[in-house]
Amino acid sequence: MDVQTLRWFLSLCDTENMRDTAALEGVNQSTLSRALARLEADLGVELFHRRGRRLAVNRFGALLREHAARAVAELDDARRRVDALAHPDTGLIRLGFLHSVGRWLVPEVLRDYRAVTPGIRFELRQGFARELLAWLHTGDIDAALVTPPPPGSGARWHRLREQRLCIALPADHPSAAVPAITLGDVRAEPFIAFAPTTDLRRVIDGLCREAGFEPVIAFESEEIATVRGLIAAGLGVGILPLPATPEVDDPVYRPLVPAQHRPIGLVWNPPPHPTAAVARFVEHLTRAT
């Protein structure tokens, strides 16, 4: 019992004639007859009264007709909804992103893409790099704005932006007014650090090792907003990406010397997984940068 057979059965119920249904459906009468025979054999009952060339629906056929009509309508509706979700103009893109880019890169990307594809829809999900890559692998998201994935992940990545890494200081810190400082200048300070599970922590630990010291960690947090707030409150110093638009209560940012940057890009799975909507979105972003 397949959808095509059910469609032919419903057509036979309407025309009550094998030849007319074959003409309407564009199939041979023999094909239609065999399909009906298989359907009746599968159900174990006849569905029509045979009266010459006329096929009159019997009580079994009437019961099946009721359910088949609902089933075919549901499947047609499902197909329309799937097509709408996947359509490059009206589809759904499930986009993940790092917490640290939610206030600048995400709005920029969505605004620019909606300007050229106004009917597209986005489902947004934020997380840490390891979470975003895991969700991409399991198909829970279609793409993500994230740092480069590790080698061998199988995902594709395209650089979109770079964030300059800075030493973040409380506003009243003695070095806050100094134009350029190094990590060595704050090596004795308590550090407000990212949690060890974050990709930024691994980057920052590496920078401190290169500078010849291991920071004294006063507080740890996974949230970039929390790290900013603790530094601004005078509880320590830290290393943060330079925000696109600093806020009034932000700490003071002094670019690292020598300059250090954190790449941010788009990650996605290669075909055949992306829908037409996702494929166009990926093409737009990778072509624009």
Side-chain angles (χ1 to χ4, degrees):
M1 189 183 299
D2 56 68
V3 178
Q4 185 59 69
T5 298
L6 291 178
R7 292 186 192 279
W8 290 343
F9 164 73
L10 292 171
S11 181
L12 280 170
C13 291
D14 291 336
T15 67
E16 298 186 335
N17 185 280
M18 192 73 71
R19 182 185 61 190
D20 292 348
T21 289
L24 284 171
E25 300 295 330
V27 296
N28 295 327
Q29 279 188 242
S30 59
T31 299
L32 186 60
S33 180
R34 288 194 297 270
L36 177 59
R38 287 194 300 270
L39 180 59
E40 290 180 325
D42 185 30
L43 294 171
V45 294
E46 291 189 349
L47 301 171
F48 297 92
H49 297 300
R50 271 72 171 176
R51 297 170 180 168
R53 292 184 177 180
R54 183 175 173 234
L55 298 174
V57 179
N58 63 21
R59 63 189 178 115
F60 299 115
L63 179 62
L64 179 62
R65 181 182 192 177
E66 177 185 345
H67 289 275
R70 286 203 301 267
V72 170
E74 283 289 328
L75 289 170
D76 287 343
D77 184 53
R79 179 176 291 277
R80 285 191 294 269
R81 294 179 66 182
V82 168
D83 288 344
L85 282 175
H87 195 280
D89 293 326
T90 60
L92 175 69
I93 298 169
R94 300 168 301 164
L95 181 66
F97 60 92
L98 293 171
H99 298 267
S100 59
V101 304
R103 299 187 64 179
W104 60 283
L105 184 57
V106 174
E108 177 186 326
V109 166
L110 268 56
R111 182 190 64 241
D112 291 349
Y113 194 64
R114 287 291 295 272
V116 296
T117 314
I120 207 72
R121 291 178 293 141
F122 284 92
E123 180 181 287
L124 302 177
R125 188 173 182 181
Q126 65 178 351
F128 302 106
R130 67 184 187 282
E131 295 174 326
L132 295 171
L133 294 173
W135 294 336
L136 184 70
H137 178 72
T138 57
D140 293 320
I141 58 174
D142 300 309
L145 300 171
V146 69
T147 48
S153 70
R156 295 184 180 177
W157 184 85
H158 179 81
R159 183 189 301 262
L160 297 175
R161 301 286 190 277
E162 284 189 341
Q163 288 181 295
R164 186 157 190 183
L165 295 180
C166 298
I167 299 176
L169 307 163
D172 59 356
H173 192 279
S175 298
V178 178
I181 60 175
T182 68
L183 270 177
D185 296 326
V186 294
R187 63 186 302 158
E189 303 276 355
F191 265 68
I192 311 298
F194 289 95
T197 53
T198 64
D199 64 322
L200 262 174
R201 175 62 179 271
R202 290 190 290 273
V203 171
I204 292 167
D205 284 350
L207 292 174
C208 291
R209 282 195 299 272
E210 290 177 9
F213 73 98
E214 182 177 339
V216 177
I217 307 299
F219 299 95
E220 292 180 343
S221 175
E222 290 186 330
E223 300 289 341
I224 193 167
T226 302
V227 174
R228 284 182 182 177
L230 293 174
I231 295 172
L235 297 173
V237 302
I239 299 176
L240 288 170
L242 181 65
T245 307
E247 298 185 6
V248 176
D249 58 351
D250 263 2
V252 174
Y253 295 94
R254 290 291 175 260
L256 281 169
V257 179
Q260 299 287 339
H261 295 87
R262 179 197 191 203
I264 302 292
L266 181 73
V267 65
W268 72 98
N269 283 323
H273 302 293
T275 63
V278 174
R280 180 184 286 184
F281 174 68
V282 169
E283 180 185 8
H284 174 83
L285 286 187
T286 55
R287 188 179 63 236
T289 56

